[in-house]
Amino acid sequence: EVQVAESGGGLVQPGGSLRLSCAASGFTFSDHYMDWVRQAPEKGLEWVGRIRNKANSYSTEYAASVKGRFTISRDESRNSLFLQMNSLKTEDTAVYYCVRVASDYVPDYWGQGTQVTVSS
Amino acid sequence: DIQMTQSPSTLSASVGDRVTITCRASQSISASLAWYQQKPGKAPNLLIYKASSLGSGVPSRFSGSGSGTEFTLTLSSLQPDDFATYYCQQYKSYPLTFGGGTKVEI
């Protein structure tokens, strides 16, 4: 069974940093691209970014709202995905989801999300 | 960026109704469109991909159609479990973008 599970959320002050993790199981992690998507309170879904697989040099794409502040990485040995978030702003407050990307580029399996709150 | 416009934003319906939700892209995305269902406090669940392909385990009362810039999600006979919020997403080009959502309520 495909599973992805986020962790690492919490309360952080504006300007601070936080690192989210996502543990993947039930599929060959190294074959798949992976996404991060977020959802602010009572708002819609916002794509944060993507990391490709080894065959595509682990290259990344980011939303303009996070580019230069957030970094996506992965560790194949631990079947894990990461989101390093720096210079956090109050508008980064959201539930952050880890999402597997299927072979035809559609995001298919979502984790349950981890809450990030940026507040003083 | 490709803008995705969903309509309506809210839809009131009854059990057994046929329901249609529309998603328009600001430029052609071929068939690179997905539909998701989200219930309160839960993660989104993939319903439809490639505009019209049914996701794994998704009931056949859900169907998708369209290509280019106009897409439709149809629920043929609304069930109690279907009251939720629905989102479209284009995955043709970066940044990936979502529609604003359609809340289906009683």
Side-chain angles (χ1 to χ4, degrees):
Chain A
E1 180 190 3
V2 173
Q3 289 189 340
V4 289
E6 306 87 345
S7 61
L11 174 64
V12 60
Q13 292 189 337
S17 298
L18 204 60
R19 188 191 195 213
L20 305 184
S21 300
C22 170
S25 61
F27 64 100
T28 305
F29 180 70
S30 57
D31 287 348
H32 289 264
Y33 297 7
M34 297 293 294
D35 283 356
W36 287 98
V37 175
R38 68 185 181 183
Q39 187 169 34
E42 305 304 317
K43 298 293 185 184
L45 300 167
E46 180 188 16
W47 178 79
V48 171
R50 170 171 289 180
I51 187 166
R52 298 179 179 88
N53 54 15
K54 181 178 180 180
N56 290 278
S57 306
Y58 301 126
S59 56
T60 54
E61 305 284 348
Y62 295 96
S65 58
V66 306
K67 196 169 186 177
R69 300 188 299 122
F70 289 12
T71 301
I72 301 174
S73 61
R74 59 195 293 166
D75 184 339
E76 308 298 337
S77 67
R78 291 194 280 167
N79 282 358
S80 293
L81 175 73
F82 304 100
L83 179 65
Q84 177 66 43
M85 304 184 292
N86 298 331
S87 303
L88 282 161
K89 307 174 181 180
T90 55
E91 52 262 42
D92 295 318
T93 294
V95 174
Y96 284 74
Y97 295 101
C98 165
V99 190
R100 189 187 81 160
V101 180
S103 57
D104 51 4
Y105 306 112
V106 59
D108 59 358
Y109 284 92
W110 297 58
Q112 287 307 299
T114 187
Q115 175 70 50
V116 172
T117 302
V118 185
S119 174
S120 55
Chain B
D1 297 4
I2 298 176
Q3 308 302 317
M4 305 300 293
T5 303
Q6 264 183 258
S7 60
S9 55
T10 306
L11 189 158
S12 296
S14 301
V15 172
D17 283 353
R18 181 181 179 87
V19 167
T20 298
I21 299 169
T22 298
C23 183
R24 289 187 174 87
S26 60
Q27 63 190 75
S28 177
I29 58 171
S30 301
S32 298
L33 184 101
W35 289 97
Y36 300 92
Q37 177 194 67
Q38 186 179 34
K39 297 180 180 179
K42 300 294 186 182
N45 180 53
L46 178 66
L47 297 174
I48 301 287
Y49 64 98
K50 217 181 297 182
S52 60
S53 296
L54 205 61
S56 175
V58 175
S60 58
R61 64 181 180 272
F62 292 92
S63 64
S65 64
S67 66
T69 61
E70 297 266 343
F71 301 88
T72 298
L73 173 69
T74 299
L75 289 74
S76 61
S77 177
L78 202 63
Q79 298 302 301
D81 191 47
D82 300 337
F83 291 95
T85 300
Y86 295 84
Y87 294 94
C88 62
Q89 182 198 29
Q90 68 82 16
Y91 52 95
K92 177 69 172 176
S93 67
Y94 299 106
L96 307 192
T97 45
F98 291 89
T102 296
K103 184 176 182 180
V104 177
E105 57 185 23
I106 300 173

mmCIF file with all atom_site columns, all heavy atoms in Angstrom, chain A residues 17-28:
data_model
loop_
_atom_site.group_PDB
_atom_site.id
_atom_site.type_symbol
_atom_site.label_atom_id
_atom_site.label_alt_id
_atom_site.label_comp_id
_atom_site.label_asym_id
_atom_site.label_entity_id
_atom_site.label_seq_id
_atom_site.pdbx_PDB_ins_code
_atom_site.Cartn_x
_atom_site.Cartn_y
_atom_site.Cartn_z
_atom_site.occupancy
_atom_site.B_iso_or_equiv
_atom_site.pdbx_formal_charge
_atom_site.auth_seq_id
_atom_site.auth_comp_id
_atom_site.auth_asym_id
_atom_site.auth_atom_id
_atom_site.pdbx_PDB_model_num
ATOM 1  N N   . SER A 1 17 ? 12.999 29.345 10.802 1.00 0.00 ? 17 SER A N   1
ATOM 2  C CA  . SER A 1 17 ? 13.156 28.224 9.876  1.00 0.00 ? 17 SER A CA  1
ATOM 3  C C   . SER A 1 17 ? 12.492 26.980 10.435 1.00 0.00 ? 17 SER A C   1
ATOM 4  O O   . SER A 1 17 ? 12.315 26.846 11.655 1.00 0.00 ? 17 SER A O   1
ATOM 5  C CB  . SER A 1 17 ? 14.639 27.931 9.635  1.00 0.00 ? 17 SER A CB  1
ATOM 6  O OG  . SER A 1 17 ? 15.285 29.020 9.039  1.00 0.00 ? 17 SER A OG  1
ATOM 7  N N   . LEU A 1 18 ? 12.145 26.065 9.514  1.00 0.00 ? 18 LEU A N   1
ATOM 8  C CA  . LEU A 1 18 ? 11.540 24.791 9.890  1.00 0.00 ? 18 LEU A CA  1
ATOM 9  C C   . LEU A 1 18 ? 11.847 23.801 8.786  1.00 0.00 ? 18 LEU A C   1
ATOM 10 O O   . LEU A 1 18 ? 11.913 24.175 7.603  1.00 0.00 ? 18 LEU A O   1
ATOM 11 C CB  . LEU A 1 18 ? 10.029 24.948 10.066 1.00 0.00 ? 18 LEU A CB  1
ATOM 12 C CG  . LEU A 1 18 ? 9.278  23.964 10.948 1.00 0.00 ? 18 LEU A CG  1
ATOM 13 C CD1 . LEU A 1 18 ? 9.811  23.993 12.387 1.00 0.00 ? 18 LEU A CD1 1
ATOM 14 C CD2 . LEU A 1 18 ? 7.786  24.279 10.935 1.00 0.00 ? 18 LEU A CD2 1
ATOM 15 N N   . ARG A 1 19 ? 12.036 22.529 9.150  1.00 0.00 ? 19 ARG A N   1
ATOM 16 C CA  . ARG A 1 19 ? 12.292 21.490 8.162  1.00 0.00 ? 19 ARG A CA  1
ATOM 17 C C   . ARG A 1 19 ? 11.223 20.420 8.289  1.00 0.00 ? 19 ARG A C   1
ATOM 18 O O   . ARG A 1 19 ? 11.087 19.801 9.353  1.00 0.00 ? 19 ARG A O   1
ATOM 19 C CB  . ARG A 1 19 ? 13.668 20.877 8.361  1.00 0.00 ? 19 ARG A CB  1
ATOM 20 C CG  . ARG A 1 19 ? 14.086 19.932 7.260  1.00 0.00 ? 19 ARG A CG  1
ATOM 21 C CD  . ARG A 1 19 ? 15.325 19.161 7.647  1.00 0.00 ? 19 ARG A CD  1
ATOM 22 N NE  . ARG A 1 19 ? 15.969 18.509 6.520  1.00 0.00 ? 19 ARG A NE  1
ATOM 23 C CZ  . ARG A 1 19 ? 16.616 17.357 6.595  1.00 0.00 ? 19 ARG A CZ  1
ATOM 24 N NH1 . ARG A 1 19 ? 16.706 16.718 7.756  1.00 0.00 ? 19 ARG A NH1 1
ATOM 25 N NH2 . ARG A 1 19 ? 17.195 16.839 5.526  1.00 0.00 ? 19 ARG A NH2 1
ATOM 26 N N   . LEU A 1 20 ? 10.481 20.221 7.220  1.00 0.00 ? 20 LEU A N   1
ATOM 27 C CA  . LEU A 1 20 ? 9.474  19.176 7.177  1.00 0.00 ? 20 LEU A CA  1
ATOM 28 C C   . LEU A 1 20 ? 10.066 17.921 6.555  1.00 0.00 ? 20 LEU A C   1
ATOM 29 O O   . LEU A 1 20 ? 10.915 17.997 5.663  1.00 0.00 ? 20 LEU A O   1
ATOM 30 C CB  . LEU A 1 20 ? 8.254  19.615 6.368  1.00 0.00 ? 20 LEU A CB  1
ATOM 31 C CG  . LEU A 1 20 ? 7.578  20.923 6.788  1.00 0.00 ? 20 LEU A CG  1
ATOM 32 C CD1 . LEU A 1 20 ? 6.327  21.160 5.933  1.00 0.00 ? 20 LEU A CD1 1
ATOM 33 C CD2 . LEU A 1 20 ? 7.241  20.917 8.264  1.00 0.00 ? 20 LEU A CD2 1
ATOM 34 N N   . SER A 1 21 ? 9.581  16.771 7.020  1.00 0.00 ? 21 SER A N   1
ATOM 35 C CA  . SER A 1 21 ? 9.988  15.492 6.459  1.00 0.00 ? 21 SER A CA  1
ATOM 36 C C   . SER A 1 21 ? 8.773  14.733 5.965  1.00 0.00 ? 21 SER A C   1
ATOM 37 O O   . SER A 1 21 ? 7.650  14.965 6.428  1.00 0.00 ? 21 SER A O   1
ATOM 38 C CB  . SER A 1 21 ? 10.707 14.644 7.523  1.00 0.00 ? 21 SER A CB  1
ATOM 39 O OG  . SER A 1 21 ? 11.861 15.296 7.993  1.00 0.00 ? 21 SER A OG  1
ATOM 40 N N   . CYS A 1 22 ? 9.012  13.830 5.043  1.00 0.00 ? 22 CYS A N   1
ATOM 41 C CA  . CYS A 1 22 ? 7.948  12.969 4.522  1.00 0.00 ? 22 CYS A CA  1
ATOM 42 C C   . CYS A 1 22 ? 8.539  11.580 4.330  1.00 0.00 ? 22 CYS A C   1
ATOM 43 O O   . CYS A 1 22 ? 9.493  11.410 3.568  1.00 0.00 ? 22 CYS A O   1
ATOM 44 C CB  . CYS A 1 22 ? 7.421  13.526 3.208  1.00 0.00 ? 22 CYS A CB  1
ATOM 45 S SG  . CYS A 1 22 ? 6.298  12.420 2.322  1.00 0.00 ? 22 CYS A SG  1
ATOM 46 N N   . ALA A 1 23 ? 7.975  10.598 5.022  1.00 0.00 ? 23 ALA A N   1
ATOM 47 C CA  . ALA A 1 23 ? 8.423  9.216  4.906  1.00 0.00 ? 23 ALA A CA  1
ATOM 48 C C   . ALA A 1 23 ? 7.534  8.483  3.916  1.00 0.00 ? 23 ALA A C   1
ATOM 49 O O   . ALA A 1 23 ? 6.296  8.506  4.050  1.00 0.00 ? 23 ALA A O   1
ATOM 50 C CB  . ALA A 1 23 ? 8.375  8.546  6.269  1.00 0.00 ? 23 ALA A CB  1
ATOM 51 N N   . ALA A 1 24 ? 8.158  7.847  2.929  1.00 0.00 ? 24 ALA A N   1
ATOM 52 C CA  . ALA A 1 24 ? 7.414  7.148  1.877  1.00 0.00 ? 24 ALA A CA  1
ATOM 53 C C   . ALA A 1 24 ? 7.585  5.641  2.012  1.00 0.00 ? 24 ALA A C   1
ATOM 54 O O   . ALA A 1 24 ? 8.665  5.160  2.381  1.00 0.00 ? 24 ALA A O   1
ATOM 55 C CB  . ALA A 1 24 ? 7.912  7.608  0.512  1.00 0.00 ? 24 ALA A CB  1
ATOM 56 N N   . SER A 1 25 ? 6.524  4.917  1.700  1.00 0.00 ? 25 SER A N   1
ATOM 57 C CA  . SER A 1 25 ? 6.590  3.460  1.728  1.00 0.00 ? 25 SER A CA  1
ATOM 58 C C   . SER A 1 25 ? 5.563  2.876  0.761  1.00 0.00 ? 25 SER A C   1
ATOM 59 O O   . SER A 1 25 ? 4.624  3.574  0.337  1.00 0.00 ? 25 SER A O   1
ATOM 60 C CB  . SER A 1 25 ? 6.341  2.933  3.141  1.00 0.00 ? 25 SER A CB  1
ATOM 61 O OG  . SER A 1 25 ? 5.055  3.305  3.602  1.00 0.00 ? 25 SER A OG  1
ATOM 62 N N   . GLY A 1 26 ? 5.748  1.609  0.417  1.00 0.00 ? 26 GLY A N   1
ATOM 63 C CA  . GLY A 1 26 ? 4.786  0.925  -0.436 1.00 0.00 ? 26 GLY A CA  1
ATOM 64 C C   . GLY A 1 26 ? 4.979  1.132  -1.919 1.00 0.00 ? 26 GLY A C   1
ATOM 65 O O   . GLY A 1 26 ? 4.155  0.681  -2.718 1.00 0.00 ? 26 GLY A O   1
ATOM 66 N N   . PHE A 1 27 ? 6.056  1.827  -2.300 1.00 0.00 ? 27 PHE A N   1
ATOM 67 C CA  . PHE A 1 27 ? 6.367  2.019  -3.719 1.00 0.00 ? 27 PHE A CA  1
ATOM 68 C C   . PHE A 1 27 ? 7.871  2.284  -3.849 1.00 0.00 ? 27 PHE A C   1
ATOM 69 O O   . PHE A 1 27 ? 8.564  2.527  -2.855 1.00 0.00 ? 27 PHE A O   1
ATOM 70 C CB  . PHE A 1 27 ? 5.545  3.155  -4.319 1.00 0.00 ? 27 PHE A CB  1
ATOM 71 C CG  . PHE A 1 27 ? 5.819  4.531  -3.736 1.00 0.00 ? 27 PHE A CG  1
ATOM 72 C CD1 . PHE A 1 27 ? 6.637  5.438  -4.391 1.00 0.00 ? 27 PHE A CD1 1
ATOM 73 C CD2 . PHE A 1 27 ? 5.226  4.922  -2.541 1.00 0.00 ? 27 PHE A CD2 1
ATOM 74 C CE1 . PHE A 1 27 ? 6.885  6.701  -3.868 1.00 0.00 ? 27 PHE A CE1 1
ATOM 75 C CE2 . PHE A 1 27 ? 5.452  6.174  -2.000 1.00 0.00 ? 27 PHE A CE2 1
ATOM 76 C CZ  . PHE A 1 27 ? 6.287  7.066  -2.663 1.00 0.00 ? 27 PHE A CZ  1
ATOM 77 N N   . THR A 1 28 ? 8.363  2.226  -5.067 1.00 0.00 ? 28 THR A N   1
ATOM 78 C CA  . THR A 1 28 ? 9.787  2.466  -5.315 1.00 0.00 ? 28 THR A CA  1
ATOM 79 C C   . THR A 1 28 ? 10.027 3.973  -5.334 1.00 0.00 ? 28 THR A C   1
ATOM 80 O O   . THR A 1 28 ? 9.863  4.634  -6.364 1.00 0.00 ? 28 THR A O   1
ATOM 81 C CB  . THR A 1 28 ? 10.232 1.815  -6.631 1.00 0.00 ? 28 THR A CB  1
ATOM 82 O OG1 . THR A 1 28 ? 9.906  0.428  -6.604 1.00 0.00 ? 28 THR A OG1 1
ATOM 83 C CG2 . THR A 1 28 ? 11.735 1.969  -6.816 1.00 0.00 ? 28 THR A CG2 1
#
